[in-house]
Amino acid sequence: MGRDNAFYSHNALPGWLESLAKPCGTAGGDICAQNLENRLLDRIASGGLSGRYAPERTRQVEKAEMGSNFFYHPSWPVLYEDNHLLGLYKPAGLLVQGDRTGEESLLELARAWLKDRYAKPGNVFLGMIHRLDRPVAGVVLFCRTSKAAGRLSLQFRAKTVRKTYLAVLEGEIRQASGRLVHHLERIEGRSTRVLNTPTPGSREAVLSFSLLDYDPKRRLSLVEVDLETGRHHQIRAQFAHLGHPV
């Protein structure tokens, strides 16, 4: 789950990741993303991630690392990169874009990483065309050129891009697949309210899901979700309304 009491700092990330990274399985084995994420969240919960982004103190990337396909640390992979796009893994708890809290974001870290990696002078362009909520872990695609940002924005608006989500829900989902239609109403200073009928201040929220697995011992269901609309915390709100919180 996301935590709101810490900063991700660019200049401190290498040391944190080095201390957080532990082998998966046998000693000396590969570091897995899940272990890294769990340890990041543990460190956040304990207040161990602190500091602020400081461009003037960005670390120098070693020449041996310049050709390596990772983001700050080998346990944080760059999922895709070319002259137009950059695909990164976002850990749960990290903002995609900075907000009024002033906490660091994946967008800021990515700009600084590109600046260091390619010794770019001045500001680095990196376009954001979609977001993931702070508590969510997943893939974020950034655009390295304005042309790519314009073209991909058109694809998102035309809904030719498919975004698939996985969610672990409490309780047993008794149907193999389904479609949820609700109306969400944002309440100032509070969470989203789920309604079965529209109100002047609500917006329709629609998703489809398929049951992938069920763990009877822990009573947890794994579902694949396709969003037909993109409302704030939509997946969490709609399934919680049915008695199956994420």
Side-chain angles (χ1 to χ4, degrees), residues 117-133:
R117 183 175 176 85
Y118 298 108
K120 287 182 172 289
N123 296 327
V124 174
F125 176 85
L126 198 62
M128 186 185 68
I129 53 173
H130 72 110
R131 296 178 178 86
L132 291 177
D133 290 336

Side-chain angles (χ1 to χ4, degrees), residues 64-82 86-88 113 117-118:
E65 296 179 358
M66 292 295 287
S68 301
N69 201 31
F70 61 81
F71 188 66
Y72 289 104
H73 190 277
S75 61
W76 196 336
V78 172
L79 303 176
Y80 183 82
E81 184 189 7
D82 62 20
L86 178 65
L88 296 173
W113 180 81
R117 183 175 176 85
Y118 298 108

Side-chain angles (χ1 to χ4, degrees), residues 130-150:
H130 72 110
R131 296 178 178 86
L132 291 177
D133 290 336
R134 183 171 189 163
V136 177
V139 179
V140 176
L141 188 64
F142 294 110
C143 294
R144 297 183 59 187
T145 65
S146 57
K147 181 179 289 187

Side-chain angles (χ1 to χ4, degrees), residues 64-236:
E65 296 179 358
M66 292 295 287
S68 301
N69 201 31
F70 61 81
F71 188 66
Y72 289 104
H73 190 277
S75 61
W76 196 336
V78 172
L79 303 176
Y80 183 82
E81 184 189 7
D82 62 20
N83 291 333
H84 305 281
L85 302 172
L86 178 65
L88 296 173
Y89 169 74
K90 186 194 86 68
L94 177 62
L95 292 167
V96 172
Q97 183 183 31
D99 61 12
R100 63 188 178 204
T101 66
E103 299 185 25
E104 261 55 65
S105 66
L106 185 64
L107 178 61
E108 289 176 293
L109 294 172
R111 283 175 175 158
W113 180 81
L114 287 170
K115 186 178 178 69
D116 278 352
R117 183 175 176 85
Y118 298 108
K120 287 182 172 289
N123 296 327
V124 174
F125 176 85
L126 198 62
M128 186 185 68
I129 53 173
H130 72 110
R131 296 178 178 86
L132 291 177
D133 290 336
R134 183 171 189 163
V136 177
V139 179
V140 176
L141 188 64
F142 294 110
C143 294
R144 297 183 59 187
T145 65
S146 57
K147 181 179 289 187
R151 289 177 175 176
L152 277 179
S153 293
L154 285 175
Q155 292 182 35
F156 273 90
R157 287 198 295 271
K159 298 185 178 180
T160 59
V161 177
R162 182 186 177 192
K163 294 189 291 183
T164 301
Y165 299 82
L166 298 177
V168 177
L169 309 176
E170 293 184 12
E172 182 180 3
I173 302 295
R174 298 183 180 274
Q175 55 190 110
S177 61
R179 187 170 182 263
L180 304 182
V181 181
H182 295 102
H183 299 270
L184 304 187
E185 188 175 71
R186 295 286 298 276
I187 303 174
E188 189 67 29
R190 296 176 57 190
S191 60
T192 301
R193 183 167 65 173
V194 182
L195 307 168
N196 292 322
T197 57
T199 66
S202 68
R203 302 179 72 184
E204 187 178 56
V206 184
L207 65 79
S208 300
F209 70 89
S210 300
L211 178 65
L212 300 181
D213 200 2
Y214 174 65
D215 183 344
K217 185 175 181 180
R218 295 187 292 173
R219 298 200 73 250
L220 297 174
S221 298
L222 174 64
V223 296
E224 179 179 294
V225 179
D226 287 312
L227 292 181
E228 298 181 34
T229 57
R231 309 304 180 208
H232 183 70
H233 292 326
Q234 177 179 337
I235 296 174
R236 292 173 178 273

Side-chain angles (χ1 to χ4, degrees), residues 31-63:
I31 300 170
C32 68
Q34 186 60 54
N35 270 4
L36 173 63
E37 182 181 332
N38 290 339
R39 288 180 172 83
L40 279 169
L41 296 181
D42 289 342
R43 185 67 65 86
I44 293 170
S46 65
L49 292 185
S50 61
R52 293 302 306 276
Y53 172 65
E56 70 278 4
R57 295 170 58 196
T58 58
R59 73 181 176 95
Q60 298 300 312
V61 179
E62 298 292 337
K63 289 183 179 180

